[in-house]
Amino acid sequence: MTREEQLQQELDKLRDDYQRLAENFDSMSEGYQESLMLYDRLEETCRELEETNRKLDIARLKAEESSKMKSEFIQQISHEIRTPLNILSGFTQVVTTSGLELDDNTKADINRQILENTERITGLVNKMLELSDANSQAVIDCNDQAPAIQIAVEAADASGITTASHLHFNIDITPEAETVVLTTNQTSAVRALSLVLDNARKFTKPAEAHAHDDVPDDKHQATLRLEVKDRFLYFIVEDNGIGIPATEADHIFEEFVQLDSYYDGTGIGLTVARSLARRLGGDIILDTTYTPGARFVMTLPLS
């Protein structure tokens, strides 16, 4: 074999070795790319699992909170019903006692308390029915032509805020709102607003634990203001009561939520109110920029 042939043979061998090396490198490169893709998929799966676990933790905490609130609600509603029932039972025994004579003032007082406590029980039952309805998404028929002023006045009367002895209440109507007539469901609009006003009435009054505190007469105030803005009528309810932390702005609209257990209530009024307002095409929010107490804003569309 000549020197040239020997060199050619070695060159061919080097070419074969280079080709195999290139093929091996390509194979390693493909394997590396597959490994990178697999790593990316594993990393994405880990992130998804972490997110799923986070959502599960949130769901678990919410379920635990919901269970706790429902238990507290059952206890509260039991107390709310038991108290008037005991009163009714006591008066029933009094008026049915043989040979007992009662003067006219006593009879009138008994009659008043029987009516008040009967209405209290009826109101609780109605709230429970409203809560069941609030969980539905059924559209409310809006065929009434209701003056905004009429809705405000009827809601104020229904809430009892106009006769509450512990606060000063007034209705403030801007000139633009004075002549507004809404196409809505008047009964539902009045009910939603009355629940918000009832909230103001309750939380401007000292809680049961502080019922005998000496509080100046001019401390407790509540206002219902009517304004027109952005094709909506605004019913703005302001009070200088205990207020609501900004962090609870959405939480308070959930079922059975009561931020202060010393106050009477069932924790469903605002839930029902917001449901009604939204099904009428509006909404109810807590204005967290207002700090002297609480400011709720209920909106209804002008048309």
Side-chain angles (χ1 to χ4, degrees):
M1 179 181 297
T2 63
R3 180 61 179 171
E4 290 181 354
E5 291 175 340
Q6 188 175 14
L7 289 174
Q8 183 63 43
Q9 187 177 21
E10 291 177 357
L11 181 60
D12 291 340
K13 184 176 182 302
L14 286 173
R15 286 174 178 169
D16 291 341
D17 291 342
Y18 176 79
Q19 183 65 32
R20 285 195 298 271
L21 182 62
E23 291 174 354
N24 289 334
F25 180 81
D26 290 342
S27 178
M28 289 176 61
S29 178
E30 290 176 1
Y32 178 72
Q33 293 296 328
E34 290 178 359
S35 297
L36 284 178
M37 293 174 62
L38 179 60
Y39 176 80
D40 290 341
R41 286 198 295 269
L42 287 172
E43 194 175 46
E44 179 65 24
T45 300
C46 287
R47 284 196 296 267
E48 291 176 355
L49 286 173
E50 288 176 357
E51 179 65 16
T52 299
N53 287 333
R54 187 185 68 82
K55 290 180 179 179
L56 286 173
D57 285 339
I58 293 174
R60 176 180 57 80
L61 291 173
K62 285 187 176 181
E64 291 175 355
E65 183 181 11
S66 177
S67 177
K68 178 183 176 182
M69 287 190 299
K70 287 180 180 179
S71 297
E72 292 175 349
F73 170 75
I74 291 172
Q75 294 174 1
Q76 180 69 23
I77 203 71
S78 298
H79 170 74
E80 291 280 333
I81 292 178
R82 188 183 300 114
T83 300
L85 282 177
N86 287 338
I87 293 174
L88 292 174
S89 176
F91 283 129
T92 301
Q93 294 178 34
V94 170
V95 298
T96 57
T97 299
S98 177
L100 179 65
E101 294 185 1
L102 302 172
D103 59 56
D104 290 342
N105 288 336
T106 301
K107 289 179 180 178
D109 183 58
I110 290 175
N111 183 63
R112 176 183 59 80
Q113 293 199 50
I114 287 176
L115 288 175
E116 286 179 355
N117 285 280
T118 300
E119 290 175 356
R120 185 175 176 183
I121 294 173
T122 302
L124 289 170
V125 173
N126 287 338
K127 274 192 175 182
M128 294 298 296
L129 294 174
E130 285 180 324
L131 178 60
S132 176
D133 183 61
N135 291 326
S136 75
Q137 299 299 319
V139 176
I140 298 175
D141 291 333
C142 297
N143 300 317
D144 300 329
Q145 298 297 309
I149 296 177
Q150 186 174 348
I151 292 174
V153 171
E154 289 186 10
D157 290 340
S159 70
I161 199 169
T162 56
T163 56
S165 60
H166 68 279
L167 60 77
H168 302 293
F169 173 73
N170 67 286
I171 299 178
D172 180 16
I173 304 173
T174 61
E176 295 82 7
E178 288 181 352
T179 57
V180 169
V181 177
L182 298 173
T183 301
T184 186
N185 184 294
Q186 184 168 333
T187 300
S188 297
V190 168
R191 181 57 176 163
L193 183 57
S194 71
L195 288 169
V196 179
L197 289 168
D198 180 61
N199 191 76
R201 178 188 62 80
K202 285 191 297 187
F203 292 101
T204 50
K205 186 176 182 180
E208 184 178 345
H210 309 288
H212 302 293
D213 289 358
D214 185 17
V215 181
D217 289 340
D218 61 352
K219 180 177 181 180
H220 308 298
Q221 298 180 10
T223 301
L224 169 59
R225 188 168 67 256
L226 275 62
E227 298 179 358
V228 175
K229 185 168 56 177
D230 300 330
R231 296 168 60 187
F232 281 88
L233 181 67
Y234 282 62
F235 296 90
I236 303 169
V237 180
E238 295 177 352
D239 67 63
N240 62 345
I242 63 173
I244 300 169
T247 54
E248 302 288 344
D250 287 321
H251 187 219
I252 56 170
F253 290 100
E254 297 177 6
E255 297 175 4
F256 316 128
V257 172
Q258 289 181 277
L259 301 184
D260 192 327
S261 59
Y262 285 111
Y263 282 86
D264 290 336
T266 56
I268 58 180
L270 291 177
T271 305
V272 172
R274 173 178 270 188
S275 171
L276 289 172
R278 287 182 171 179
R279 291 158 65 195
L280 292 172
D283 202 355
I284 298 177
I285 64 167
L286 174 71
D287 183 355
T288 56
T289 65
Y290 184 81
T291 55
R295 175 192 283 156
F296 286 90
V297 181
M298 170 175 153
T299 56
L300 291 178
L302 293 177
S303 58

